[in-house]
Amino acid sequence: MKTIIRNARVLTMDADDTILVRADVLVDGQTIVAVGPDLDFADGEIRQIDGAGKLVMPGLINGHFHSPVNHLKGSLDSLPLEVFMLYESPPLDEAGMSPRGAYVRTMLGALEMLKNGVTAVQDDAFFVPAPRPEIIDAVMQAYADSGIRATVALDQPNVPELEKLPFLADMLPPKLKADLAQPAPMCAEGLLECYRYLIHRWHGAAGGRLCAAVSCSAPQRVTPDYFAALDALSRAHDLPFYIHMLETKLQRVLGEEKFGGRSLIRYVHDLGLLSDRLNIIHSVWVDDADIALIAAAGSVVAHNPISNMRLGSGVMPFRRLRDAGVPICLGTDEAIADDSINMWLVAKIAGLIHNLSDPDYERWPTANEVLDCLIRGGAKAMRQSDRLGRIEAGCQADLILVDLDTLPFTPLNDLRRQLVYCESGSSVRLTMVAGKVVVENGRVTTVDEAALRAEARENAERFAHNQGVVDQAAAELQPYYRAMYLKAAARPVGMNRWVGDAAANQQG
Ligand SMILES: [Zn+2]
């Protein structure tokens, strides 16, 4: 099937940052085959789309996401990560999770992203209590059916909860301490077996749209042996490797307490596992020595500014990372920590939040830099820079059509700034992934969205009971987690990543 979009403005995101004021984009199969004014094309089996008054640009890339809580958006008030996790990955939530439930849940996020112009997502999917082949299949089948491009990992710990956190062992009463010292639900060999299943069955599926990644979740959540085995898997198949590092101040303190006074970045470096395949998620409480190690390894940092605000984690040192040459992609993080799953809002906040952390306005992000992170950074994080992120012959046809005859773009003063600061997704008229139109004029073409929404509502009634049980279990632990959190927050760590009164209250 061929498609030609005629007479559109084109933000190419090519190496020269070219904007074409009027051009055609010709797509054959999955691929963009030509871009330029007044293209010749053979009549016959071709769909023509009028692009006049519209913009063609590469689809947005959600560089970091966790689909398993798609159905829980808006469930929680804002809480710091460590307390939040008591409620967010509850042990009971998945007890009744059928493959169909997981399918519907995954679909909710995929459709919300596609309708907002996101064409690709990296899903660091966790499974409570542990992955099962039928649930892995459900997640991947939802991505296959929705039409989005997805790279998916299994985000699972293999150490007990008690070992992942500082101070708790000395704070908890014996009964709760024994509960948290229980082994993780699945051992390393079981998890690696799940990875072999994911890679064998799904890596490269749906015409290459679906890919596997690996994830250790975070260095403190896995044993060094399992961590190294995941690295070997990532190397053997050239897969992105997801790892949350130094998201919170408590994780900085954890390095001091449990990893010989080292930062977690240094710990991973000392294991020999920092690499250019790593997606270092968050990277908020990093110092200059950490940044130098990240840059030398060639790792990508995944920046999730809305999640970082929702969980009060702090402000990532954007300019220091950019100055060091570290590639940055943008992500929403999960649907309870950025409840809109909207990459336009993430881009806007990424363009604004760093203005608060440096008085030198020459170091503030520009709109062009934000778009670079949003599109090119995302493609790099996925290890698909050779085929994603540009409107250029030879690239995958992952593109969106943005209506410029809308209020966010009227009048058109500066295209890039209006994309970052004005647009919210409401001007997206068409989303194409791998040459296939998956959203057009606000309607998903691949699946019955209304039926899926109805099914998700029915499922939610069944989950409501679980949430009550989970809340009760969390309430028992919450005072100890709060004490742990406050003890870590009070400790000077040689840097400050909070702003406003919180910054003034910190000694650094
Ligand atoms: Zn995350």
Side-chain angles (χ1 to χ4, degrees), residues 47 100 103 106-115 118-119 140-149 206 209-210 430-452:
R47 180 179 175 198
R100 180 67 192 176
Y103 176 92
T106 309
M107 201 59 102
L108 292 178
L111 299 189
E112 188 160 4
M113 287 188 273
L114 286 171
K115 292 180 85 171
V118 174
T119 52
M140 299 308 287
Q141 193 63 51
Y143 284 131
D145 294 349
S146 71
I148 202 168
R149 187 180 300 281
R209 234 182 343 107
L210 305 185
L430 179 143
T431 305
M432 175 185 281
V433 183
K436 181 175 179 183
V437 174
V438 290
V439 174
E440 191 162 13
N441 295 322
R443 199 180 66 80
V444 178
T445 65
T446 48
V447 293
D448 184 344
E449 185 197 333
L452 285 160

Side-chain angles (χ1 to χ4, degrees), residues 59-78:
L60 279 45
I61 298 176
N62 188 353
H64 180 58
F65 184 58
H66 304 276
S67 68
V69 283
N70 284 350
H71 58 310
L72 297 176
K73 58 173 62 173
S75 292
L76 296 174
D77 276 330
S78 295

